Amino acid sequence: MTLKRSAAITGIGEMRPSRSPDGKSTLGIWTEVAREAILDAGLTTPEIDGLLVAPPITEQAAMWPSILGEYLNIHPGYGNVVDLGGASACGMVWRAAAAIQSGLCRAVLCVTGEASDVETFYAPRAPRARRPVQQLPYREFEVPYGPMGVNSGYALIAMRHMHEHGTTGRQLAKIAVDQRTNACANPDALYYGKQITVDDVLASPLVVDPLHLLEIVRPCTGGAAIVVVAPDLAGAAPRAPVWLLGAAEASRGIMLSQFDTITTSPIAICAPRALEMAGVAHGDIDLISVYDCYTITVLITLEDAGFCPKGKGGPFVEEHDLTYAGDLPLNTHGGQLSFGQPGLAGGMSHVTEAVRQLQGRAGKRQVRDCELAFVNGNGGIMSEQVSLVLGT
Amino acid sequence: MPTDGYRKPLPVPSPETRRFWEGCRKHELWLPYCRACGQFYFYPRDFCPRCFGWDIEWRQASGRGKIYTFAIQYRAWHPGWAEETPYITALVELEEGPRLFTNIVGIEADPRKVRCDMPVEVAWDDVSAEISLPKFRPVG
Ligand SMILES: [Zn+2]
């Protein structure tokens, strides 16, 4: 069983991230990016027969596919919420392909996006009064000790990685700097035109030691959508289709205390499977487009996906130029660290950027002869992982 | 809900976890133990997550362990901690095997003083009439 060339991405839509919603609703953002993606794919709404939606982080409701489907007047034969945190977008790609391969549908619209605010997202917040709270293990055994959301979890991982492998803050900062260089070639990036240095990163405030402000993702407003279609529709698409060549998923739960090790992630399981399905080797990959909620996420992803030996991520990122013009182009749109993280659309930005690069429409930051991309989505605290290989 | 001025989230014991919190209230660390696997596990469930067996018992742990990893919180998300930064969150690995998310106390929140694999012992924090939180402090 393989998903290789079972479906292709033929359309993308992405909103330029902004620091605040400015009156926009999540539903309005979804509509904007959905329209753009459907038009990009050369389709019309009646042709969309599959709908995957990632739940907004800051809004609670049930039946999102029904809400969005009604709003857009799309009535799919296959609809689902994909709730894998930051891995949701990559999870949508292979779920769409699997549904297409099984004959459930032929054109799947995958939608992500969020109206949230850069300034207030991390502000201290009082628990909402009288809201009934489910008895979940992390609420009972972690929250009473004052973690600052997932910031604490990634800091705990980074500290242990430094302890086991001698990884330095300077090495981690290099990732943020190279991605910022990429963002400075992307006018849509939230931090376009604001180059930073390693010293800037290390001089930025420690939020949760060892994580500095400039190596922590900034939630913002934005959205992204893609259209995944069956091979026959891909052949008729206005743009060169971007094929799914390999996909695999691996999960290990949600609480760090439950993992045998926190310095190796399930990427070590799913990345090799995705590469094997695609039949490609690391050296064949032209673009690495991987989830980057923190610098440590990227470093561990490079190790666990096999781009360098375990524990050698620090020297590896120092030795390579991760910019669009470099020898190892990585997160050429700036990554979430510099492009912005509009909720779960942050994870979609790695997919849309891979599509742009593979279609040769990345503008100033175009990677030369880009034919194969490794894409990874990461959810929770490096717990939920989806690896994809996309190609022309 | 706390009425004594404690402004942080409190654990709400469930039927599966009540035995753990009862022990904590007596300043004793009790953990679930799988008789089939011969191993401790945490957090509490009515079954062993390793073998899915239901032949479990509760055993008292030594309260000793080491810091698997730690982080220093310079900012708090919940207002209950706003006046206490910086403080230390950590995963402590108990002698019996399981790891607990906790706070390290009794040492300055300074990364030059705290280190991974540092030996620690349980330090009880009586936060309400019902709840004592197991925190950990360096040994010696
Ligand atoms: Zn067992």
Side-chain angles (χ1 to χ4, degrees):
Chain A
M1 189 66 182
T2 180
L3 290 170
K4 187 174 182 177
R5 294 191 181 270
S6 58
I9 302 171
T10 53
I12 59 172
E14 191 158 40
M15 205 179 111
R16 182 186 210 162
S18 58
R19 299 182 67 85
S20 70
D22 196 24
K24 289 191 184 76
S25 68
T26 295
L27 196 57
I29 290 166
W30 286 355
T31 301
E32 186 178 325
V33 295
R35 177 176 183 273
E36 192 183 330
I38 293 167
L39 290 174
D40 196 44
L43 296 176
T44 57
T45 49
E47 292 168 286
I48 301 295
D49 56 4
L51 182 59
L52 296 178
V53 186
I57 297 166
T58 54
E59 290 182 43
Q60 297 292 320
M63 300 182 70
W64 285 118
S66 304
I67 293 170
L68 180 62
E70 177 189 276
Y71 201 75
L72 298 177
N73 197 23
I74 287 173
H75 303 285
Y78 168 70
N80 262 139
V81 166
V82 179
D83 190 7
L84 303 174
S88 299
C90 286
M92 286 172 165
V93 174
W94 82 253
R95 280 166 174 74
I100 289 167
Q101 193 177 53
S102 73
L104 287 172
C105 49
R106 298 177 71 231
V108 183
L109 174 66
C110 307
V111 184
T112 60
E114 185 110 7
S116 71
D117 197 292
V118 166
E119 304 307 328
T120 60
F121 189 88
Y122 281 123
R125 53 185 71 170
R128 271 174 252 176
R130 292 187 174 277
R131 199 173 104 205
V133 171
Q134 291 290 322
Q135 281 182 324
L136 298 177
Y138 72 85
R139 294 203 174 117
E140 187 168 352
F141 296 106
E142 290 187 348
V143 171
Y145 296 98
M148 188 192 178
V150 295
N151 284 345
S152 300
Y154 284 89
L156 291 166
I157 290 175
M159 191 69 87
R160 184 71 195 180
H161 200 280
M162 290 170 158
H163 175 75
E164 288 180 5
H165 302 297
T167 307
T168 67
R170 188 158 280 275
Q171 291 167 338
L172 289 169
K174 163 79 160 42
I175 296 168
V177 170
D178 281 0
Q179 290 196 183
R180 184 60 65 89
T181 302
N182 289 336
C184 287
N186 179 6
D188 289 337
L190 199 59
Y191 294 96
Y192 175 69
K194 294 176 182 164
Q195 188 59 55
I196 53 172
T197 65
V198 166
D199 288 334
D200 290 337
V201 176
L202 297 177
S204 68
L206 280 163
V207 177
V208 184
D209 194 340
L211 302 179
H212 302 80
L213 185 65
L214 289 180
E215 53 187 332
I216 296 176
V217 79
R218 300 295 280 174
C220 63
T221 288
I226 58 170
V227 176
V228 181
V229 302
D232 59 322
L233 287 177
R239 294 185 190 274
V242 169
W243 293 95
L244 179 64
L245 302 178
E249 183 169 313
S251 168
R252 66 173 174 188
I254 199 153
M255 287 167 70
L256 280 188
S257 60
Q258 304 301 300
F259 309 157
D260 291 338
T261 171
I262 61 172
T263 51
T264 297
S265 75
I267 297 168
I269 299 167
C270 60
R273 286 183 186 161
L275 290 163
E276 189 191 349
M277 186 185 283
V280 302
H282 295 90
D284 302 327
I285 299 292
D286 302 307
L287 170 72
I288 299 173
S289 194
V290 293
Y291 203 84
D292 62 318
C293 42
Y294 304 84
T295 49
I296 186 67
T297 316
V298 175
L299 187 128
I300 288 180
T301 301
L302 290 171
E303 292 178 351
D304 292 350
F307 288 97
C308 66
K310 189 67 208 174
K312 302 297 183 199
F316 184 75
V317 297
E318 276 182 324
E319 288 159 12
H320 291 278
D321 180 350
L322 310 179
T323 69
Y324 61 92
D327 60 326
L328 194 78
L330 179 142
N331 290 343
T332 46
H333 60 311
Q336 297 179 95
L337 289 171
S338 283
F339 174 75
Q341 184 187 47
L344 301 185
M348 188 63 95
S349 76
H350 302 100
V351 177
T352 54
E353 177 67 3
V355 170
R356 270 186 222 103
Q357 290 283 3
L358 292 166
Q359 291 179 332
R361 51 167 165 158
K364 189 186 166 193
R365 62 183 191 279
Q366 179 65 48
V367 172
R368 201 174 299 161
D369 302 325
C370 188
E371 293 172 359
L372 271 178
F374 174 79
V375 185
N376 195 80
N378 158 68
I381 305 175
M382 297 217 78
S383 44
E384 196 68 54
Q385 304 295 341
V386 180
S387 299
L388 304 175
V389 179
L390 302 177
T392 49
Chain B
M1 289 301 287
T3 54
D4 55 356
Y6 186 75
R7 296 184 186 285
K8 298 167 186 161
L10 280 170
V12 181
S14 69
E16 288 187 84
T17 65
R18 188 160 292 131
R19 179 70 189 83
F20 173 76
W21 293 112
E22 283 171 3
C24 291
R25 202 171 157 223
K26 289 189 273 186
H27 292 191
E28 295 170 358
L29 194 61
W30 288 76
L31 301 176
Y33 177 87
C34 173
R35 280 196 273 246
C37 291
Q39 293 189 62
F40 289 89
Y41 62 91
F42 191 83
Y43 47 91
R45 295 92 143 163
D46 285 345
F47 59 93
C48 167
R50 197 174 287 109
C51 69
F52 208 52
W54 294 64
D55 183 18
I56 66 155
E57 64 185 21
W58 286 83
R59 292 189 180 183
Q60 189 172 358
S62 69
R64 289 187 298 270
K66 58 184 182 182
I67 297 175
Y68 175 62
T69 187
F70 67 99
I72 297 179
Q73 309 284 142
Y74 285 96
R75 293 196 201 170
W77 207 336
H78 190 283
W81 278 272
E83 306 298 316
E84 292 180 24
T85 55
Y87 60 95
I88 307 168
T89 49
L91 290 173
V92 162
E93 185 170 305
L94 299 173
E95 279 181 348
E96 292 79 8
R99 293 185 194 139
L100 274 63
F101 193 95
T102 188
N103 296 129
I104 304 300
V105 297
I107 186 168
E108 205 182 325
D110 181 341
R112 290 164 298 186
K113 296 186 175 164
V114 190
R115 56 180 173 78
C116 294
D117 296 336
M118 180 181 252
V120 290
E121 63 184 8
V122 69
W124 296 101
D125 189 356
D126 301 324
V127 296
S128 76
E130 293 80 29
I131 297 292
S132 296
L133 292 175
K135 298 184 176 179
F136 288 81
R137 66 179 163 233
V139 174

